[in-house]
Amino acid sequence: AQKVTQAQTEISVVEKEDVTLDCVYETRDTTYYLFWYKQPPSGELVFLIRRNSFDEQNEISGRYSWNFQKSTSSFNFTITASQVVDSAVYFCALSERPQAGTALIFGKGTTLSVSS
Amino acid sequence: KAGVTQTPRYLIKTRGQQVTLSCSPISGHRSVSWYQQTPGQGLQFLFEYFSETQRNKGNFPGRFSGRQFSNSRSEMNVSTLELGDSALYLCASSIDIKSQYFGPGTRLLVL
């Protein structure tokens, strides 16, 4: 069965520290998409990145980077030089059989607190 | 381009009542999905509508229903409300799986 696991429930860091959020997924499909979303206190989910199962190239966007490894079914997210504005809940999500719809399976989320 | 809008933003109901939530997708997006977020269960997929047809459905009781209109606007209805239905209900609109944009959500409190 499909599943997304974010083992870290809460992480607290001090500004400028690097932090990695872990995501492990389970799926039987060969075609799937993985996502990361950020949810600030306002509640709206903000899209951060999407990766399809055929693209294992790592990606960097400013202070954000993502490491996708099919061999370990992981899609980890690193924030470099964290800032207070990074404080939020981060969700990893999986979409299987994308040709059949857009349903997302979310992990439980990791609450990141960055203090100054 | 306007984002996804959801109305109302906050709602208080009592057990046994029913409620209707509305979602207006981004212009040109034909798919609308609904999610329920609770502290205990996290974010769970309710259903997806595409061109006025339900394309996917999550594992929720029949009290949860939805529909989509010809302008892609969607409504979800919860009948016979229970305390456990208190949650943040999020709507997402998309053209395809590659890009899903979420609205600000409707916070429902059932007393």
Side-chain angles (χ1 to χ4, degrees):
Chain A
Q2 62 275 22
K3 188 178 176 182
V4 176
T5 301
Q6 295 180 255
Q8 304 150 309
T9 305
E10 295 183 20
I11 300 177
S12 295
V13 298
V14 178
E15 256 192 325
K16 299 184 182 177
E17 281 187 40
D18 298 347
V19 58
T20 295
L21 309 182
D22 298 333
C23 173
V24 174
Y25 62 93
E26 294 177 30
T27 178
R28 294 180 182 175
D29 285 0
T30 56
T31 302
Y32 52 89
Y33 282 84
L34 294 165
F35 302 79
W36 276 96
Y37 284 88
K38 174 182 180 179
Q39 187 176 44
S42 61
E44 187 169 342
L45 283 171
V46 178
F47 168 80
L48 295 177
I49 191 172
R50 173 195 71 248
R51 261 287 175 267
N52 74 51
S53 51
F54 299 107
D55 181 4
E56 287 194 70
Q57 190 172 17
N58 292 330
E59 182 159 336
I60 298 175
S61 176
R63 297 184 297 106
Y64 295 170
S65 62
W66 291 270
N67 185 309
F68 176 28
Q69 293 194 337
K70 286 178 73 173
S71 60
T72 56
S73 296
S74 65
F75 185 41
N76 297 335
F77 172 32
T78 297
I79 301 174
T80 303
S82 59
Q83 300 176 0
V84 173
V85 293
D86 295 327
S87 297
V89 183
Y90 291 86
F91 292 94
C92 180
L94 163 72
S95 179
E96 299 178 314
R97 296 182 294 279
Q99 68 280 7
T102 61
L104 293 174
I105 300 158
F106 284 89
K108 293 292 189 183
T110 297
T111 300
L112 174 64
S113 298
V114 183
S115 57
S116 57
Chain B
K1 206 176 214 185
V4 180
T5 58
Q6 292 187 245
T7 57
R9 294 292 311 279
Y10 304 92
L11 207 49
I12 300 175
K13 291 286 188 180
T14 56
R15 278 181 299 174
Q17 287 187 311
Q18 73 165 17
V19 67
T20 299
L21 312 181
S22 179
C23 172
S24 292
I26 294 170
S27 177
H29 288 195
R30 293 161 63 190
S31 168
V32 174
S33 297
W34 288 89
Y35 293 83
Q36 182 197 62
Q37 184 176 22
T38 60
Q41 298 301 316
L43 274 158
Q44 294 183 286
F45 171 74
L46 279 157
F47 31 66
E48 179 201 1
Y49 285 86
F50 179 81
S51 293
E52 301 180 64
T53 301
Q54 187 180 85
R55 181 157 71 170
N56 281 305
K57 189 177 189 305
N59 189 26
F60 277 81
R63 299 185 297 107
F64 291 83
S65 63
R67 59 177 175 168
Q68 186 178 34
F69 302 95
S70 58
N71 62 358
S72 293
R73 188 177 72 84
S74 176
E75 289 181 347
M76 69 162 280
N77 184 277
V78 187
S79 62
T80 319
L81 284 166
E82 301 177 359
L83 295 179
D85 297 331
S86 295
L88 176 66
Y89 290 88
L90 291 162
C91 158
S93 85
S94 62
I95 292 177
D96 55 35
I97 187 54
K98 295 179 182 179
S99 301
Q100 284 203 60
Y101 299 90
F102 283 81
T106 295
R107 292 190 183 273
L108 171 65
L109 176 61
V110 181
L111 300 176

